[in-house]
Amino acid sequence: MKPSAQPGHIDHIKQTNMGVVYRYIDREGPVSRISLSKKTGLAPASITKITRELMDAHLVRETEFPGLGFRGRPAVGLKTDCDGWHFLCIRINRGELVFALRELSGKLLAEDIIDFPAGDRDFVTLFLAQVDAFFSRNHQITERLTAIAITTDAIVDPANGIIRHSPYYQLTDLPVADILYQHTGMPVFLQHGISAWSLAEYFFWCGQRV
């Protein structure tokens, strides 16, 4: 008897649906559960379950907002709960490192620009030392860190988190995402700088929020 792949398939559907619901809440919140059901095409029961899980994870929260011309109690809607959840952006530029700690909403909490010239030295050791130094300087506000994003103008392999070629730093096939994951325990995502900006524009309409 062939083993069924259904459980994994169901998990993938759940993750996809949760991502869709969160994106609608982030983009249009505060929004009611009824509106979410209509916009996503998901059953009200599914919306209730997904939003409960998002609330338990402190990713969304309930809020009251005025109804559309109706009297009585204000309607209860959902909006993203970005307070306290952070991600760290590390930009490897030519001759410098830029660290930016942000809330999930994009609000900047801390930023450092560090001189990081190329030379005859161990890139990984010095890079990790600067990461540690940033955490040390900002230890009061890094406890809710959820992920780290690295961008650079080098040739990269985002799927595998590898810097394929960086002439300035003389790097070849450096698995920087895995190295930083092993060092910090945080999920690490690598992307070319321009590609990262384009993806952010496509998925989150960053340009419309400026």
Side-chain angles (χ1 to χ4, degrees):
M1 181 176 179
K2 292 179 64 176
S4 173
Q6 187 176 10
H9 180 63
I10 292 175
D11 288 342
H12 178 71
I13 292 175
K14 288 181 178 178
Q15 292 175 5
T16 300
N17 289 342
M18 185 172 292
V20 169
V21 171
Y22 180 84
R23 190 177 304 167
Y24 268 108
I25 296 173
D26 183 43
R27 185 182 302 171
E28 303 184 18
V31 58
S32 69
R33 290 174 174 83
I34 294 175
S35 295
L36 283 173
S37 179
K38 292 178 179 178
K39 290 176 181 294
T40 62
L42 297 173
S46 296
I47 292 294
T48 298
K49 182 177 180 180
I50 289 172
T51 55
R52 185 185 299 120
E53 291 180 5
L54 290 172
M55 290 175 63
D56 289 344
H58 302 287
L59 292 172
V60 304
R61 60 185 174 89
E62 289 184 330
T63 184
E64 292 185 349
F65 65 101
L68 300 176
F70 297 100
R71 295 181 179 180
R73 296 180 58 187
V76 175
L78 295 162
K79 63 184 293 185
T80 52
D81 186 2
C82 298
D83 297 338
W85 291 105
H86 308 149
F87 67 99
L88 176 62
C89 302
I90 304 176
R91 192 161 72 246
I92 304 174
N93 288 338
R94 189 179 175 89
E96 69 177 13
L97 298 176
V98 180
F99 293 87
L101 183 67
R102 297 181 178 273
E103 290 184 348
L104 292 184
S105 64
K107 178 183 177 182
L108 182 65
L109 301 174
E111 184 176 46
D112 285 340
I113 301 176
I114 308 297
D115 289 334
F116 202 71
D120 186 16
R121 55 187 192 162
D122 186 346
F123 175 91
V124 171
T125 299
L126 294 175
F127 176 69
L128 295 180
Q130 291 296 344
V131 172
D132 290 342
F134 179 84
F135 281 120
S136 178
R137 289 190 298 271
N138 299 281
H139 62 91
Q140 303 95 335
I141 53 175
T142 55
E143 294 181 354
R144 303 298 294 276
L145 189 66
T146 58
I148 299 175
I150 301 175
T151 61
T152 180
D153 291 335
I155 298 173
V156 300
D157 176 356
N160 295 298
I162 298 173
I163 296 178
R164 289 298 183 191
H165 186 53
S166 175
Y168 180 76
Y169 288 108
Q170 301 178 14
L171 302 177
T172 301
D173 294 336
L174 178 70
V176 64
D178 185 62
I179 290 171
L180 192 54
Y181 167 74
Q182 295 296 333
H183 189 73
T184 65
M186 290 287 132
V188 180
F189 304 91
L190 173 69
Q191 186 58 266
H192 188 277
I194 295 177
S195 297
W197 178 255
S198 299
L199 288 169
E201 285 285 333
Y202 178 79
F203 285 110
F204 304 109
W205 299 0
C206 290
Q208 298 186 21
R209 300 186 180 186
V210 176

